Amino acid sequence: MQENQAGPQRSDAQRNRERILEVAVAELTRCANAPLSTIAKKAGVGQGTFYRNFPNREALVLEIYRHEMQHVADSATELLESREPDEALRAWMDHLARFAMTKAGLAEAIRQAIGSSGAQKPGPTPVIAAADLLLRAGQEAGTIRPGVTADDFTLAISGLWQLDPHTDWQTRATRLLDLVMDGLRAGAPGR
């Protein structure tokens, strides 16, 4: 009987963790200094459950960053399943821009977490891998110029992080990403 109880407890623990992350993203995006007790209360978990999952603010913030970046990266595969590679890449770029702008408040929480603990911000490795996947698919389909690397792509879109999320960033992001796509398509064998 105990084996049956272990499964539901694990899935319940996973749901608690996911609920904490969901609430924490919203709260820390709104206010980088949101109290952890508020996050726990809004997630519907006790302090013990909260601290078992995230022993401190830094652990929570860095896990949010990793979790959110993984979500952006995972969307690349989903887009490739339903669109042509170059269209999937362009849609993914929009997803990345929305992430960058809507999570701008989270950037302050990340800076605070890193500054107070000396921890290193996790690199955008899943995002780089997703960009590489999309670029290779486009190159194989002949819709993206050959030889463009994920590092080239990251450098080309770095202007996204210069946009002010409190202004009309959508228009500027669209223009920037359209320019990048034009450059990626130029010289593609299938164009």
Side-chain angles (χ1 to χ4, degrees), residues 14-162:
Q14 183 61 32
R15 280 192 302 275
N16 285 340
R17 182 176 178 81
E18 289 170 8
R19 205 167 41 252
I20 292 168
L21 287 170
E22 181 181 320
V23 169
V25 166
E27 291 300 310
L28 293 172
T29 297
R30 262 195 297 278
C31 174
N33 296 315
L36 298 182
S37 59
T38 300
I39 294 169
K41 185 175 182 177
K42 287 186 176 184
V45 300
Q47 294 291 328
T49 298
F50 181 91
Y51 285 107
R52 263 192 308 282
N53 282 282
F54 305 102
N56 54 45
R57 177 179 294 275
E58 293 78 22
L60 173 64
V61 170
L62 294 175
E63 178 59 17
I64 288 170
Y65 179 82
R66 188 207 62 73
H67 184 263
E68 293 293 302
M69 292 301 280
Q70 188 64 54
H71 180 70
V72 170
D74 291 346
S75 68
T77 303
E78 295 164 14
L79 289 165
L80 274 174
E81 291 172 358
S82 62
R83 300 174 188 218
E84 293 299 316
D86 60 330
E87 294 169 3
L89 175 59
R90 184 60 183 86
W92 185 76
M93 291 163 65
D94 285 336
H95 187 88
L96 185 61
R98 280 189 306 279
F99 167 78
M101 294 301 108
T102 59
K103 303 300 186 231
L106 191 56
E108 181 56 29
I110 292 168
R111 277 191 289 278
Q112 288 177 8
I114 292 168
S116 68
S117 70
Q120 278 194 314
K121 178 173 133 183
T125 304
V127 171
I128 298 293
D132 185 59
L133 173 72
L134 290 160
L135 289 168
R136 279 187 290 113
Q139 289 167 351
E140 289 170 11
T143 57
I144 299 295
R145 69 189 304 159
V148 177
T149 68
D151 287 338
D152 298 333
F153 172 80
T154 303
L155 185 59
I157 65 163
S158 64
L160 283 176
W161 286 266
Q162 303 304 313

